[in-house]
Amino acid sequence: MSASSSPFVKRRLMASSGSSGFIGRPLTNSGSGSSRPLARCGSGSAPMLGRGMSPSPSVENAAPAKIVYQPGAIKLADIACPQPDCRIHPNATVVNQQLKDWTIDMLKPFELGIEDYIDEYNTMAAYVFGDASDERLTVIGKLSNLQYVHDDMIDGRRIANASGPYAFALYTLAKNPKVLLAGCRDIMITLATAHKPTPVYGRDVEEMMLLDYYLEAAEGFHRLSNPAWMKRFSKNLKIFYESQVNSASKPQSFSSCAEFVDYRAANSGMLHSIDEVEFAQDNFMPTEILEHAVIKEMQQNVILVGSLSNDIFSFEKETIRDGMHHANLVHVAMTTEGLNIEKAAQKTAAIVRDNMDTFYRLMAEVDTWNRPDVSRYCVGMENFLLGCWPWQLSTDRYRSETSPFAELLLPKYIGPQPADVDATLRALVRSTSAPSLAQPWAFPVVRAASPSPVSSPLRQRIDRAKRSGSLIRV
């Protein structure tokens, strides 16, 4: 396949020449007079800083200052983020419903309330693995949902009102890093071997580690892959789980954006997600391809696009609501360079765009190798890259009544007021409708079957208000 004949290359060349809105504005250091890219991650090397990103002195031990901002004042469209076309799985509606039913069944015995949040993450796999078979997408979706469930289990806000027989076990899991680490090790063993280990903690906590369900996902991965891939996948899962526990128990601090980006590239959940690209396609790469400098750099580009774009969307959730000041590039840019939220988000978006640029430049080079299997693998990585931003925009997981980003701002709940509830509900749905949030992106028709932009807990709140004659004021 020649580079000039490939439709993907033609689209990428249009993007890089500025004739398409796909990548965004030119990647330069605004105001510096320099056209040098802001940041680029070379193969196997730490991300390098452009002149516009020189690190400030270390603020490792500084107490985080209170962040003052106006909710909804920043428009994501104004920070020049990517505008990709998303390739959602053609059978997403059916697979998503099956995954939701499976997850509800899994959570029902615990009565924790976190089943209210399933719609927030249940759709993710369909956005980033659009070329998977239904069976493979379901296996990936089960593991993804399990990881989000455990994320919610240790989220203090979401379990604050937990009651019932598992409430104390949940508290133990969320507040005791040793118990959590032991549980994560059991999960890793289950996924790596497709056999459950003998747990070392109490029965209630053991049940909450959901090993029977992890075993079900593990059996799917083992049956549909090969030993070499499973070994690599298990190794990257181990890195992810251990970094999550260590991050919770021993938070790291960073003295520059470059240091943080380097950390994210090596510890992100995107490491095993890149492995899932091969699994989704049933297209497992030989070692010599995976070790090639070009492929390794493309993988790193996708890892950083996924993880750093998430730092923009999850900024308020992680930094302001959850207090995880150490785990977000937007906050690192604020503390190390004295930027406000908008400028820090712009800097983060610039690094995302630059990695997208690099990915497409290298993908054009791979197209000249005349290796259909490798070209197909690169398209799978591209699908993942394309799905990250639209999924995060579509989900309720990062929306709130206090988000600094206009596209993620939910209407406030005012409380009981006499009014025409039906008219108010219609206004509420209009104010958070998918087309207005997604503009100027054109989503596939399949997106119309995705869950409503109004979150599950908010939907329940609306229903209660409607029954009682209360008002949700927009």
Side-chain angles (χ1 to χ4, degrees):
M1 178 191 301
S2 67
S4 60
S5 65
S6 167
F8 292 106
V9 172
K10 289 179 181 178
R11 180 155 55 83
R12 294 195 297 275
L13 292 176
M14 289 176 61
S16 61
S17 67
S19 59
S20 165
F22 179 74
I23 296 296
R25 294 197 283 269
L27 308 179
T28 60
N29 296 309
S30 301
S32 66
S34 168
S35 61
R36 179 174 178 172
L38 282 169
R40 193 173 301 284
C41 301
S43 174
S45 62
M48 300 301 293
L49 287 173
R51 293 190 191 95
M53 291 182 64
S54 56
S56 301
S58 173
V59 291
E60 288 183 84
N61 300 316
K66 183 178 180 180
I67 299 173
V68 180
Y69 66 99
Q70 177 66 39
I74 305 169
K75 292 183 178 180
L76 290 172
D78 291 344
I79 63 176
C81 289
Q83 300 178 9
D85 299 316
C86 179
R87 301 166 189 160
I88 299 180
H89 192 278
N91 204 23
T93 303
V94 173
V95 175
N96 287 344
Q97 186 59 51
Q98 292 172 347
L99 286 170
K100 182 176 181 178
D101 293 343
W102 180 83
T103 309
I104 289 174
D105 181 68
M106 173 177 66
L107 292 174
K108 193 176 296 182
F110 300 107
E111 302 176 4
L112 300 175
I114 57 175
E115 61 270 15
D116 294 341
Y117 303 99
I118 293 173
D119 282 339
E120 292 185 354
Y121 49 77
N122 190 59
T123 57
M124 188 192 76
Y127 271 80
V128 295
F129 297 111
D131 55 354
S133 67
D134 289 6
E135 181 181 25
R136 291 175 179 273
L137 183 67
T138 299
V139 173
I140 293 171
K142 285 179 178 179
L143 177 60
S144 174
N145 282 12
L146 281 162
Q147 291 172 329
Y148 275 113
V149 164
H150 274 134
D151 188 52
D152 283 349
M153 279 187 177
I154 60 174
D155 184 333
R157 294 179 303 105
R158 296 198 158 174
I159 64 174
N161 298 319
S163 59
Y166 288 89
F168 181 75
L170 182 66
Y171 182 85
T172 302
L173 181 67
K175 301 300 181 183
N176 192 324
K178 289 184 178 180
V179 173
L180 183 60
L181 180 59
C184 286
R185 284 173 178 163
D186 287 346
I187 289 172
M188 290 183 285
I189 293 171
T190 302
L191 290 169
T193 65
H195 290 91
K196 287 197 306 180
T198 302
V200 296
Y201 36 79
R203 182 184 62 82
D204 286 354
V205 178
E206 171 193 341
E207 291 180 17
M208 293 183 62
M209 294 315 298
L210 305 171
L211 293 186
D212 287 330
Y213 292 89
Y214 274 104
L215 180 61
E216 186 176 332
E219 289 171 344
F221 280 115
H222 280 263
R223 177 170 50 84
L224 297 171
S225 66
N226 59 63
W229 180 87
M230 274 304 311
K231 182 177 180 180
R232 171 161 43 92
F233 183 58
S234 299
K235 176 183 177 182
N236 287 329
L237 276 169
K238 183 174 185 289
I239 292 172
F240 167 69
Y241 281 114
E242 290 185 343
S243 68
Q244 290 292 96
V245 175
N246 291 336
S247 177
S249 58
K250 298 178 182 178
Q252 280 191 258
S253 297
F254 302 92
S255 59
S256 68
C257 291
E259 183 185 359
F260 179 82
V261 171
D262 190 26
Y263 170 82
R264 285 301 295 270
N267 294 277
S268 167
M270 286 291 296
L271 291 174
H272 65 270
S273 297
I274 286 290
D275 294 330
E276 290 174 332
V277 170
E278 296 169 75
F279 179 86
Q281 295 184 323
D282 191 16
N283 180 33
F284 300 98
M285 293 291 100
T287 302
E288 62 268 21
I289 292 297
L290 295 173
E291 291 299 319
H292 194 286
V294 170
I295 297 299
K296 290 176 73 174
E297 185 168 2
M298 291 176 73
Q299 290 176 333
Q300 190 176 60
N301 295 146
V302 178
I303 287 169
L304 290 175
V305 168
S307 58
L308 299 183
S309 65
N310 181 253
D311 281 1
I312 298 173
F313 282 89
S314 65
F315 168 75
E316 192 234 1
K317 177 182 181 294
E318 293 180 350
T319 300
I320 298 174
R321 285 187 274 156
D322 295 351
M324 299 173 63
H325 303 280
H326 58 284
N328 188 286
L329 180 58
V330 176
H331 189 265
V332 170
M334 292 172 66
T335 56
T336 62
E337 302 185 25
L339 303 178
N340 61 23
I341 296 176
E342 184 173 10
K343 295 296 184 183
Q346 287 174 348
K347 183 176 286 292
T348 302
I351 299 175
V352 170
R353 293 198 317 273
D354 187 56
N355 277 278
M356 293 181 75
D357 265 351
T358 304
F359 178 89
Y360 277 106
R361 174 177 58 81
L362 295 174
M363 193 169 178
E365 180 179 335
V366 171
D367 282 342
T368 68
W369 294 2
N370 198 26
R371 285 284 303 266
D373 60 332
V374 181
S375 293
R376 182 175 170 231
Y377 171 60
C378 292
V379 170
M381 287 197 289
E382 182 192 30
N383 287 344
F384 199 108
L385 179 147
L386 292 174
C388 289
W389 188 272
W391 177 73
Q392 292 176 112
L393 192 65
S394 74
T395 178
D396 290 324
R397 192 163 188 83
Y398 309 112
R399 295 183 187 172
S400 77
E401 298 171 348
T402 55
S403 174
F405 303 112
E407 293 89 336
L408 305 182
L409 194 64
L410 285 174
K412 287 188 176 181
Y413 176 62
I414 303 301
Q417 297 285 339
D420 181 351
V421 176
D422 287 334
T424 305
L425 289 173
R426 287 195 294 273
L428 173 61
V429 173
R430 282 199 303 273
S431 72
T432 57
S433 61
S436 63
L437 288 172
Q439 290 175 351
W441 300 309
F443 286 84
V445 176
V446 122
R447 187 180 182 279
S450 299
S452 165
V454 182
S455 66
S456 296
L458 181 60
R459 174 68 66 189
Q460 293 178 358
R461 199 168 63 192
I462 292 171
D463 291 341
R464 288 195 297 268
K466 187 174 181 180
R467 288 193 300 268
S468 64
S470 304
L471 169 69
I472 304 289
R473 184 182 299 162
V474 182

